[in-house]
Amino acid sequence: MSVATLTLDGKKYAIIPIEQYRKAFDQHGVRVLRDDEMTEQDRGDVAELKRRKAAEKAIPYSKARKTMGLKGK
């Protein structure tokens, strides 16, 4: 396995090829779907997510804080 390391903000990270990453997660019970593995339901869910994201207006930070009962900034 080829591994590279990277340090960002004083934290070390390991970088591995995407296929090795997917294989490791597949073996350990976490499923990472590739585009060609998605079912019609998965594609529909992604499309709905994108539609909702495009249709909903972003809430201003100050309004979100007020809604949550936090002090305004």
Side-chain angles (χ1 to χ4, degrees):
M1 177 191 321
S2 59
V3 177
T5 58
L6 176 69
T7 303
L8 295 172
D9 196 27
K11 297 177 186 174
K12 286 194 172 196
Y13 296 88
I15 302 172
I16 62 173
I18 193 70
E19 288 305 317
Q20 291 175 353
Y21 165 82
R22 288 181 175 144
K23 183 178 177 184
F25 274 82
D26 285 348
Q27 289 175 351
H28 296 285
V30 177
R31 193 74 175 108
V32 179
L33 291 179
R34 295 175 210 123
D35 288 338
D36 62 339
E37 295 178 310
M38 292 175 66
T39 65
E40 287 301 315
Q41 179 68 46
D42 295 330
R43 287 186 191 91
D45 291 345
V46 170
E48 177 68 10
L49 173 72
K50 289 179 180 178
R51 184 193 65 74
R52 287 184 184 184
K53 185 176 179 184
E56 294 175 1
K57 284 178 66 176
I59 299 172
Y61 180 71
S62 58
K63 184 176 180 180
R65 289 184 58 85
K66 187 175 180 180
T67 303
M68 291 185 290
L70 303 171
K71 293 182 180 179
K73 231 180 173 187

